[in-house]
Amino acid sequence: SVDGSRSVGFIGSIVDVNRAVSSLTYVTNPRYNRLYRPPVEARDPLTFDIEADSLDVLTLLLSDLGNSGGTGYDPRIAFRQAPIRVQAVNNRPTCNGPSEVTAYEDIP
């Protein structure tokens, strides 16, 4: 089990590898919001698309490292990409500052 990793590798029998792949889970960054748009000054005018619906992508690359049987080296590789749309969550705002603020009326 590897939690929080962006990359995982493992070696095992076909049964163990299939079991590991079938039990993969995806957990997004808790502050991720797919509707977030960077500030205008941070946008790349060549690649930024205001209409784009950003998706995260889970990429799987599986290889038997040439252990598919037979007498010759014959690696078998499977590659899949799965787009993931993350549900936006309206997180509670946070404030860093004093716990109390005093304001006086009519004093600039």
Side-chain angles (χ1 to χ4, degrees):
S1 169
V2 179
D3 293 332
S5 176
R6 296 182 59 85
S7 176
V8 178
F10 48 85
I11 298 174
S13 69
I14 190 71
V15 172
D16 291 337
V17 170
N18 283 338
R19 185 178 302 125
V21 170
S22 69
S23 66
L24 287 176
T25 57
Y26 171 86
V27 178
T28 187
N29 178 331
R31 299 280 183 231
Y32 177 82
N33 185 330
R34 71 182 182 89
L35 301 177
Y36 168 76
R37 299 296 187 251
V40 174
E41 62 276 2
R43 297 176 185 171
D44 181 350
L46 299 176
T47 60
F48 181 76
D49 179 4
I50 194 72
E51 300 298 323
D53 183 12
S54 58
L55 297 175
D56 204 350
V57 177
L58 174 66
T59 302
L60 297 174
L61 176 62
L62 308 171
S63 171
D64 69 357
L65 302 174
N67 296 307
S68 57
T71 58
Y73 178 73
D74 185 21
R76 304 294 171 107
I77 297 173
F79 175 82
R80 298 286 186 273
Q81 287 188 318
I84 299 173
R85 177 169 285 123
V86 178
Q87 180 71 29
V89 176
N90 189 6
N91 296 326
R92 174 180 293 163
T94 58
C95 178
N96 295 326
S99 59
E100 291 185 21
V101 175
T102 303
Y104 298 99
E105 187 175 347
D106 297 327
I107 298 176

